[in-house]
Amino acid sequence: MSKILFVMTGAGHWTLADGTKHPTGFWAEEAVTPYQAFTAAGHEIVIATPGGVVPPLDQVSLAPQFNGGEEGAKTMADALASISEIQHPIKLEDVDLADYAAVFYPGGHGPMEDLAVHATSGKLLIDALASGKPLGVVCHAPAALLAATEGDGGNAFAGYRLTGFSNAEETQSGLAAIAKWLLQDRLVEIGADYQEGEPWAPNVVVDRNLVTGQNPASAGPAAAEMLKKLA
């Protein structure tokens, strides 16, 4: 059994353009669905966050409308509660990449606040990319790629085909007009070859060892692609 590292946000808010702190965290489906896929395949999950804080949940992600109704919301909440690792994260600063077979970043707006500017996470991403180990990043978590700045000032993910939460999806969610910046725009700015799919539909892009998913519906398919690489 190999270990897979989940790098999760420690931010419970996202600062908007006017300075307002919008409550957020990680998105339940993006942690639960891959966790279930990886553990069912026999892998062990270790969760790391900045400073080792317990990752805050975006409570909206447990709403019935995002889980196919009341029953689905209860199933998601129960599954989340069963993941004991979430309550016992290690410090991101203490991570040794050599201990893990793969690295996975769940999304939610939280990474837009902390991982987007987190140097330790950025270095881990650079090293994971160079290692050839499967690296999965979903929804808003590609914000973390913005911190993967190399010595020459360029970004390690420049030239990679990838995806992440789209401007269209952010607009439909009602947050684009009040955000400081939009993820799709920033990914294009660092030189990534951004691949936009239909809003809210699964869209997974694989380029070398990098596996990215556009939105919550892409979390499970992204995990499946990573498992292919681990087989």
Side-chain angles (χ1 to χ4, degrees):
M1 180 170 66
S2 60
K3 291 182 180 179
I4 297 176
L5 179 70
F6 274 36
V7 179
M8 299 181 67
T9 183
H13 71 270
W14 175 36
T15 305
L16 301 177
D18 66 356
T20 302
K21 293 184 176 181
H22 178 73
T24 188
F26 73 91
W27 196 261
E29 180 180 0
E30 296 168 29
V32 169
T33 304
Y35 177 93
Q36 291 175 332
F38 293 140
T39 55
H43 299 287
E44 177 186 346
I45 306 301
V46 175
I47 292 173
T49 62
V53 302
V54 173
L57 171 69
D58 189 328
Q59 296 293 333
V60 175
S61 67
L62 292 182
Q65 64 263 39
F66 296 116
N67 292 283
E70 292 285 354
E71 186 174 338
K74 184 181 186 307
T75 299
M76 183 64 70
D78 290 346
L80 188 62
S82 73
I83 302 177
S84 60
E85 293 91 340
I86 286 180
Q87 300 304 318
H88 305 284
I90 65 171
K91 292 181 179 179
L92 178 56
E93 295 79 4
D94 293 341
V95 164
D96 183 347
L97 180 62
D99 294 338
Y100 303 96
V103 178
F104 181 76
Y105 278 65
H109 279 102
M112 301 274 282
E113 184 74 19
D114 60 353
L115 297 180
V117 293
H118 199 283
T120 301
S121 172
K123 176 69 162 56
L124 175 66
L125 286 164
I126 292 171
D127 293 345
L129 196 64
S131 74
K133 296 178 179 182
L135 171 61
V137 196
V138 171
C139 199
H140 285 93
L145 309 186
L146 304 178
T149 305
E150 299 184 297
D152 62 1
N155 189 283
F157 294 87
Y160 274 78
R161 295 177 62 253
L162 53 77
T163 191
F165 205 66
S166 68
N167 289 356
E169 287 165 323
E170 203 72 84
T171 298
Q172 290 175 24
S173 72
L175 292 169
I178 54 177
K180 279 186 180 179
W181 49 272
L182 299 179
L183 179 57
Q184 179 178 338
D185 292 344
R186 285 289 179 90
L187 292 173
V188 171
E189 285 173 12
I190 64 170
D193 182 4
Y194 181 85
Q195 305 286 308
E196 183 175 359
E198 288 297 316
W200 314 110
N203 179 33
V204 175
V205 178
V206 180
D207 188 345
R208 289 157 274 186
N209 60 315
L210 177 65
V211 178
T212 52
Q214 180 172 318
N215 45 39
S218 305
E225 290 293 337
M226 291 182 68
L227 285 170
K228 289 180 189 176
K229 293 180 175 294
L230 287 165

